């Protein structure tokens, strides 16, 4: 049975002569595996006196397009672009209100353009800010704006520090929980950073400034890629990470149409790690930490039991396991330090790579082989101290955003999860599934060892192994087995059978 592609509706102007607008949106969406439907708001027409002009369509034609699509193919995401008049803005707001009532999970990405810059005088003169933003704000989930858009929409200066701008946007956050994406903040460090801001957080997606960074249509490419990834079911942080990677690849693959025109390439799904953005916060903007952790012994990676007692750790190491993790959930355990010391000693006895989960201070103090941290731990752990102590570092991730954040730290391995539903711990994210796991493994291949984790049992292990991950972590497949020793040996053999010698690959420094 074939799987239907996600549906993206694109609302905007048709401007094929400039390789922007709806034709560009359709190209990008199809390149990313989406079914794209368009709602035209304006067309470019020939005018002997003034050259090419944008002419808005009639309101009845605009409404007819909405109704036809609603009757035929509801969207998974909507990208709203050029709205050429206050009348069409109001109508768009009405349709979005209706659609949100019937399909509350559909996200709307709004690229605020009343009229393209060169054509603003050719269409109805309206207040770009109030007439455009107020009717749409309640129904929009992400606003993608450049500095000029911010000033026109809100009256605020887009040139102020991002933290000050967030504070001054408080009234808009109060009116709507939507996020604002501030596009194209160039710095003297040779980086271009897009800031995703909401009421509680500011996240920067930073990349090297490329030669074509100011090319026409760059912002629209980013916005359409963002809407496409949202349609595929990714949350906004993951979708933004992927959209930035897609834009970086598109800029690098720009093709020349004629002497005056270039068109961004169509790089497909973002699978090149060098195109991932660096995740930064405002205080890191000019001071991204430079970290790099000790390498793993790849010949000792494979099956990766995660256990909560010294008895279980001893059992799996005796069966020949060379990679394991001790995860003690109770930080107030009176024997915590003693258990960590025992785990380290067992790793040395069996010549195995034993990681300590969470307790990085004790891991440093007692000389552990490595420490494993979750995303929340990255905000409080002293990563420089872990690096200076020579410990290996493993990091949990749950999608592209967290992978980008992790790879900025250059850990010893990156864990990818949770792949299937799991009962071992409460998870805020949804199961990733094997298809996404394969994308993550391809993205990181040759750069970082990868560990698949979450809900993996003997039946699922071969499918997971074939995605190309370096190692497979599991818990209950051993601890709840009738014969844990035999289960461990059987799982090790199964992984070796399905990985095809892949663990001997060399990973880039």
């Amino acid at each position: 049975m074939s799987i239907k592609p996600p549906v993206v509706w694109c609302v905007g102007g048709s401007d094929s002569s400039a390789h922007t607008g709806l034709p560009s949106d359709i190209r990008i969406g199809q390149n990313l595996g989406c079914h794209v439907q368009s709602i035209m708001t304006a067309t470019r027409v020939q005018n002997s006196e003034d050259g090419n002009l944008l002419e808005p369509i009639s309101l009845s034609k605009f409404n007819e397009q909405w109704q036809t699509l609603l009757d035929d193919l509801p969207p998974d995401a909507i990208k709203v672009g050029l709205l050429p008049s206050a009348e069409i803005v109001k109508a768009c707001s009405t349709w979005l209100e209706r659609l949100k009532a019937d399909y509350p999970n559909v996200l709307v990405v709004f690229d605020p353009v009343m009229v393209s810059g060169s054509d603003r005088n050719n269409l109805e003169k309206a207040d770009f800010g109030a007439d455009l933003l107020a009717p749409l704000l309640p129904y929009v989930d992400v606003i993608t704006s450049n500095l000029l858009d911010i000033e026109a929409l809100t009256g605020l200066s887009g040139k102020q520090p991002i933290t000050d701008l967030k504070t001054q946007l408080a009234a808009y956050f109060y009116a709507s929980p939507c996020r604002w994406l501030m596009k194209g903040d160039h710095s003297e460090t040779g980086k271009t950073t897009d800031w995703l801001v909401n009421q509680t957080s500011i996240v920067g997606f930073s990349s090297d400034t490329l030669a074509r960074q100011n090319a026409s249509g760059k912002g629209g490419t980013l916005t359409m890629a963002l809407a496409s990834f949202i349609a595929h079911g990714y949350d906004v942080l993951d979708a933004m990470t992927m959209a930035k990677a897609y834009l970086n690849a598109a800029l690098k693959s720009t093709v020349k149409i004629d002497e005056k025109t270039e068109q961004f390439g169509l790089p497909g799904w973002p699978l090149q790690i060098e195109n991932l953005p660096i995740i930064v916060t405002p205080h890191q903007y000019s001071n991204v930490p430079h970290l790099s952790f000790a390498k793993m012994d790849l010949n000792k990676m494979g099956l990766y039991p995660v256990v909560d007692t010294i008895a279980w750790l001893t059992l799996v190491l005796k069966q020949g396991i060379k990679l394991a993790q001790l995860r003690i959930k109770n930080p107030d355990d009176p024997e915590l330090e003693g258990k960590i010391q025992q785990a380290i000693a067992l790793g040395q006895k069996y010549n195995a790579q034993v990681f300590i989960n969470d307790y990085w201070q004790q891991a440093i103090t007692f000389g552990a082989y490595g420490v494993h941290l979750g995303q929340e731990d990255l905000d409080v752990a002293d990563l420089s101290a872990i690096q200076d102590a020579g410990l290996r570092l493993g990091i949990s991730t749950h999608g592209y955003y967290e992978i980008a954040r992790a790879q900025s730290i250059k850990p010893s391995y990156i864990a990818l999860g949770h792949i299937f539903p799991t009962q071992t711990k409460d998870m805020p994210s949804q199961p990733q599934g094997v298809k996404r796991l394969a994308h993550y493994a391809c993205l990181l291949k040759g750069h970082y060892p990868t560990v698949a984790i979450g809900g993996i049992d003997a039946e699922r292990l071969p499918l997971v192994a074939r995605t190309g991950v370096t190692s497979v972590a599991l818990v209950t497949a051993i601890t709840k087995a009738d014969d844990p020793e035999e289960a461990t040996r059987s799982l090790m053999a199964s992984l070796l059978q399905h990985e095809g010698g892949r663990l001997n690959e060399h990973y880039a420094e």
Side-chain angles (χ1 to χ4, degrees), residues 24-53:
S24 176
D25 290 343
I26 293 170
R27 291 173 66 249
I28 294 166
Q30 291 177 343
N31 186 234
L32 290 172
C34 296
H35 180 81
V36 184
Q37 295 280 6
S38 60
I39 297 175
M40 189 179 299
T41 62
T43 59
R44 186 168 291 278
V45 297
Q46 294 287 337
N47 184 296
S48 59
E49 295 181 359
D50 301 313
N52 291 333
L53 299 179

Side-chain angles (χ1 to χ4, degrees), residues 25 58 60 92 152 166 209 239 248-250 260 281 291 317 329 359 386 402 410 420 422 429 446 452 495 506:
D25 290 343
S58 67
S60 61
C92 184
K166 173 180 177 291
T209 300
N248 288 338
K260 297 182 179 180
T281 58
L291 298 168
L317 293 179
K329 296 181 180 180
Y359 305 108
I386 297 171
E402 293 183 357
K410 296 182 173 58
F420 303 102
T422 176
S429 59
L495 183 57
H506 295 288

Side-chain angles (χ1 to χ4, degrees), residues 256-270:
K256 192 169 185 179
I257 303 300
D258 53 46
E259 292 184 358
K260 297 182 179 180
T261 308
E262 289 185 333
Q263 182 171 278
F264 295 151
L266 296 172
W269 203 266

